[in-house]
Amino acid sequence: MKTANFVALVTGASRGIGGVIAMQLAERGVCVALHYRNNREAAESTLARLAGTGHAIFAADLADPAATGGLWQRVAGRLGGVDILVNNAGLYIEHSPLHTDVESWHSAWRLTLAANLLGPANLSLLAAQSMADRAEPVNAAFGRGRIVNISSRGAFRGEPDAPAYGASKAGLNALSQSLAKALAPRAIHVYCVAPGWVETEMATSHLEGPEGAAILAQHPLGRVNQTDEVANAAVYCALDAPAAMTGCIIDVNGASYLRT
């Protein structure tokens, strides 16, 4: 598929899964808007590694609805619109129900839901309305636009040390499927990718810590997922997945958690 004129907004793209998604999209000829929250140095480093030209970085706190709207306007104004939205940015705060005081519990839920669910929901609204306004689909295979949400296996298996994270990702799954049904008549397709443990900077302390052996024991492959494996699935959804897959949730967890 010709992608030279496509624009993708990837949230949480300064490093980790988001950074690899941005690089893979750029390799396919997509112009990428890399969102970051506060690590400008990391965002600039990722930007410098992207193939092609025209890419740009944008800062915003996605937990703030006003900032989310401002991000969308700045990306659209600079790059001329968005064809693909990848909601990848996420927040993980440990708050075990047996070891967390009430104030910290409230804070963890408020911050996690704002970043992991309300931020993607607000961006998805802007994307859906912008894409639906197009007179015609980009092409018959692609549709008018695509939304790809990065969820987690925690949405299915639970997150005992971070229940708000698991709940937010379960909500993201439901949001993805609701949007898929609502937007299909306008040829806007919505996909969801649910990774398990991924070898990223954020996961290093866990994988190299006391629980590392137990984490590896969950994985029949003998290793956790690689960032490029999750990115491959996300980019497939963004560019290549058939319209009939809209509403799907793709597990990328190395058979560490199998659902029926």
Side-chain angles (χ1 to χ4, degrees):
M1 178 186 298
K2 182 180 179 181
T3 60
N5 296 321
F6 281 10
V7 173
L9 168 57
V10 183
T11 69
S14 62
R15 57 183 179 174
I17 296 169
V20 180
I21 291 172
M23 286 187 279
Q24 290 192 7
L25 286 170
E27 289 170 358
R28 293 283 301 273
V30 176
C31 181
V32 183
L34 299 94
H35 156 266
Y36 68 99
R37 185 164 66 97
N38 52 28
N39 193 339
R40 183 180 181 88
E41 183 179 356
E44 289 178 338
S45 176
T46 300
L47 176 65
R49 297 163 63 191
L50 297 190
T53 60
H55 316 294
I57 60 174
F58 300 85
D61 179 359
L62 299 184
D64 178 357
T68 301
L71 169 66
W72 186 266
Q73 292 175 355
R74 284 183 287 132
V75 172
R78 178 163 176 176
L79 300 181
V82 175
D83 304 289
I84 302 160
L85 169 63
V86 181
N87 284 309
N88 166 77
L91 183 65
Y92 181 95
I93 302 172
E94 290 195 355
H95 54 288
S96 167
L98 297 180
H99 304 287
T100 303
D101 62 77
V102 171
E103 183 176 348
S104 298
W105 177 269
H106 290 169
S107 176
W109 276 88
R110 183 176 63 255
L111 294 172
T112 302
L113 290 178
N116 293 6
L117 183 55
L118 297 181
N122 291 335
L123 276 178
S124 294
L125 173 68
L126 297 169
Q129 294 182 348
S130 173
M131 294 169 183
D133 283 343
R134 291 174 172 160
E136 300 291 339
V138 174
N139 58 52
F142 181 84
R144 283 185 170 84
R146 296 193 168 198
I147 299 171
V148 182
N149 293 320
I150 307 301
S151 178
S152 168
R153 72 171 188 171
F156 303 106
R157 69 185 290 273
E159 291 289 348
D161 293 324
Y165 181 84
S168 70
K169 293 301 187 177
L172 189 61
N173 290 348
L175 171 66
S176 301
Q177 295 181 320
S178 296
L179 290 175
K181 297 190 75 168
L183 302 179
R186 293 296 291 167
I188 301 167
H189 311 315
V190 185
Y191 308 90
C192 197
V193 177
W197 280 97
V198 183
E199 192 171 320
T200 64
E201 183 179 335
M202 291 179 61
T204 298
S205 61
H206 296 277
L207 296 173
E208 295 182 353
E211 70 270 41
I215 292 171
L216 285 177
Q218 300 170 15
H219 296 76
L221 291 176
R223 62 170 178 82
V224 299
N225 305 297
Q226 304 299 303
T227 52
D228 64 320
E229 294 175 315
V230 180
N232 287 344
V235 171
Y236 171 73
C237 291
L239 295 175
D240 302 315
M245 282 182 62
T246 192
C248 73
I249 301 173
I250 300 176
D251 295 320
V252 185
N253 65 47
S256 64
Y257 183 78
L258 302 176
R259 56 191 174 96
T260 57

